[in-house]
Amino acid sequence: MMTTLPWGASRGICSLVVVVVSALLLSMPVHASSKNSKAKKNAPKASAANHRSTHPGAAEARLIEVYRLTAAARVRDALKLAQALVTDYPNFQLAQLVYGDLLAAHARPVNTLGDVPAAQAQAAQPVLMELREESQMRLKALRERPPIGHIPSPFLTLPARTKHAIAVDASRSRLYLFRNNPAGLTLVADYYVSVGKAGTEKAVEGDARTPLGVYFITSNLDPKSLKEFYGSGALPINYPNALDNKRGKTGSGIWLHGTPPTQFSRAPLATDGCVVLANPDLQQIIRTVEVGTTPVVISPRLEWVPPHSSRAQVKPFEEALTAWQHAKSSGDLPRILSFYTPDFNSFGKSLPQWMPSLQSELGKIGGRAIEFKDLSMLRWTDESDTMVVTFGEVPLGTRTGKTKRQYWVRRGNEWKIFFEGVIG
């Protein structure tokens, strides 16, 4: 015998389906294949128990499945899955809001995400707006998936010793984690993140903005040494870098970190400048990446390109780097100095102040050819074109050398070095 819902409940559920369908239609991949759609249609139902995994990213995947089930008018299945989700993650506020909508839909129409009674809506408006923005960003990540096989344009060359790379797209509130294989970078996971309250492009201490540029993870802070606010850990990055310093930017303490116990995630724009992830996601990243060698690119909007597509554009820079290498090998000081900008800086030393260190190096090299070991090239383009180059400088006949990092800037058709220093 078929059970008929009361008219009010039926109308409420229909309204909720319309709301969620509209959201999903805006978020689904534009080029989804009919073959994949058919496979999903014919796939067996997944039980709630099968969704109780707590591996990184599972909570978001389960939330999206709740949306999909609701859009397919499988509201009872969506309700069961939502109930299991909030049981496993009671601090997941967005999931709690969706669960509340599913419950409310049985009694009245639900016209928007977080459709709470008017008396409560006014007091809760700031929180509701943040949760709706978070929902939109998570759904947006479905529609704006990176093209298969493409990588962010800053990643030009990474050595084998660099096992992973991270790219953050602020416009999508998304962090992408890559594995560096012999064949190149492979996207292995991506996560929802929060950035600065005032957005990006950090300039001064306390501006509540997240910096933009090429950075590296510098340490892994023990969670026992941190306040609960930072969640399950923190990975500091080297802001301000040499380019930031050159531009007079100030501030410090920019980390990738987690959330306090009472919060699963934060609004898209919610931090004091750090990049914040849900604790399970951060834990996965901490277990995966390496301190010192993992680059972190933070961009207002990532450009995805086929691997090696930028090689032709980079050729003039590679020629300049090779020319510097030959000049350094020759020991010709005037020729070497022609590669450096007048405002060159090395950890606070101007070019004249740094000269004795350069001359000492040349004496030790003794005219021998120098080779690059573990060469890394990362490009950052905004109002200027910058290359961040890291390499081991190994004189011929020796097995090891100093690890150096250089920052080059393109001026017209020429590339010049405005920072150089020994790292590690």
Side-chain angles (χ1 to χ4, degrees):
M1 179 178 179
M2 182 178 293
T3 301
T4 303
L5 291 171
W7 179 80
S10 177
R11 185 179 66 167
I13 290 171
C14 286
S15 300
L16 178 62
V17 169
V18 170
V19 169
V20 178
V21 167
S22 298
L24 285 171
L25 285 176
L26 290 173
S27 64
M28 289 302 293
V30 176
H31 301 296
S33 68
S34 58
K35 181 178 179 181
N36 290 341
S37 300
K38 184 177 179 180
K40 286 181 180 177
K41 183 177 179 181
N42 295 333
K45 290 183 179 180
S47 67
N50 289 337
H51 287 279
R52 291 180 186 271
S53 169
T54 55
H55 69 78
E60 180 180 64
R62 291 164 64 180
L63 177 65
I64 298 302
E65 183 63 13
V66 170
Y67 286 157
R68 291 189 187 278
L69 290 170
T70 306
R74 291 170 55 186
V75 181
R76 295 184 189 278
D77 290 333
L79 183 61
K80 290 179 182 178
L81 185 56
Q83 184 178 29
L85 177 57
V86 298
T87 298
D88 288 347
Y89 299 93
N91 62 351
F92 195 172
Q93 292 173 304
L94 178 56
Q96 292 280 8
L97 192 68
V98 172
Y99 181 47
D101 282 344
L102 287 164
L103 290 172
H106 284 274
R108 60 178 176 79
V110 174
N111 300 310
T112 186
L113 178 67
D115 193 355
V116 299
Q120 299 172 15
Q122 185 172 0
Q125 194 61 29
V127 175
L128 286 173
M129 287 181 62
E130 288 182 347
L131 291 174
R132 287 167 185 156
E133 289 169 359
E134 177 182 342
S135 179
Q136 289 170 2
M137 282 300 190
R138 291 181 184 273
L139 287 169
K140 187 179 182 182
L142 287 178
R143 176 170 56 89
E144 299 182 354
R145 299 301 300 164
I148 294 174
H150 285 47
I151 63 173
S153 58
F155 296 132
L156 298 178
T157 298
L158 291 175
R161 71 187 298 262
T162 298
K163 304 298 183 185
H164 296 89
I166 288 173
V168 176
D169 187 326
S171 72
R172 295 176 174 84
S173 296
R174 211 74 186 169
L175 181 150
Y176 300 89
L177 175 64
F178 298 86
R179 181 183 298 113
N180 188 25
N181 305 304
L185 289 176
T186 301
L187 178 63
V188 293
D190 57 284
Y191 308 100
Y192 169 81
V193 297
S194 303
V195 297
K197 297 183 188 79
T200 56
E201 204 161 353
K202 184 172 185 62
V204 297
E205 176 80 32
D207 63 5
R209 292 180 179 273
T210 297
L212 299 175
V214 173
Y215 302 97
F216 294 86
I217 293 174
T218 58
S219 60
N220 179 4
L221 301 183
D222 185 347
K224 294 178 182 178
S225 69
L226 303 173
K227 296 178 181 179
E228 282 190 340
F229 176 79
Y230 298 104
S232 60
L235 297 169
I237 61 174
N238 66 320
Y239 173 86
N241 63 22
L243 179 59
D244 298 323
N245 288 327
K246 185 174 186 292
R247 292 174 171 177
K249 296 185 178 183
T250 60
S252 60
I254 301 299
W255 302 349
L256 310 183
H257 68 79
T259 55
T262 55
Q263 259 186 316
F264 180 79
S265 55
R266 296 168 70 177
L269 303 178
T271 81
D272 291 328
C274 293
V275 176
V276 173
L277 302 92
N279 288 323
D281 301 339
L282 178 70
Q283 289 166 4
Q284 176 62 22
I285 290 175
I286 288 174
R287 287 193 296 266
T288 302
V289 302
E290 305 79 24
V291 170
T293 60
T294 302
V296 179
V297 169
I298 307 176
S299 172
R301 187 179 184 88
L302 289 172
E303 178 188 6
W304 296 82
V305 298
H308 313 304
S309 67
S310 301
R311 300 306 296 176
Q313 298 178 28
V314 178
K315 189 175 180 182
F317 171 73
E318 290 180 321
E319 291 173 351
L321 181 62
T322 300
W324 172 86
Q325 180 186 17
H326 291 162
K328 186 76 176 282
S329 299
S330 72
D332 185 339
L333 186 58
R335 184 180 167 201
I336 295 169
L337 292 176
S338 70
F339 287 90
Y340 294 83
T341 62
D343 61 350
F344 171 86
N345 185 283
S346 179
F347 299 119
K349 292 183 178 181
S350 65
L351 190 58
Q353 293 170 330
W354 180 71
M355 279 277 292
S357 297
L358 174 60
Q359 291 171 322
S360 175
E361 283 187 2
L362 293 177
K364 292 176 182 178
I365 292 172
R368 290 175 293 172
I370 59 171
E371 298 177 339
F372 291 150
K373 182 180 179 182
D374 297 325
L375 176 65
S376 165
M377 292 192 297
L378 301 165
R379 189 173 195 167
W380 180 253
T381 304
D382 45 23
E383 64 264 29
S384 63
D385 202 0
T386 306
M387 286 287 184
V388 184
V389 186
T390 309
F391 53 86
E393 186 181 272
V394 183
L396 190 65
T398 61
R399 300 181 64 181
T400 59
K402 296 178 179 178
T403 299
K404 291 192 172 181
R405 181 162 293 148
Q406 294 178 334
Y407 283 72
W408 294 64
V409 62
R410 184 167 61 84
R411 293 184 172 175
N413 294 324
E414 294 186 321
W415 286 93
K416 299 289 184 179
I417 303 166
F418 67 85
F419 171 88
E420 180 179 321
V422 178
I423 62 170

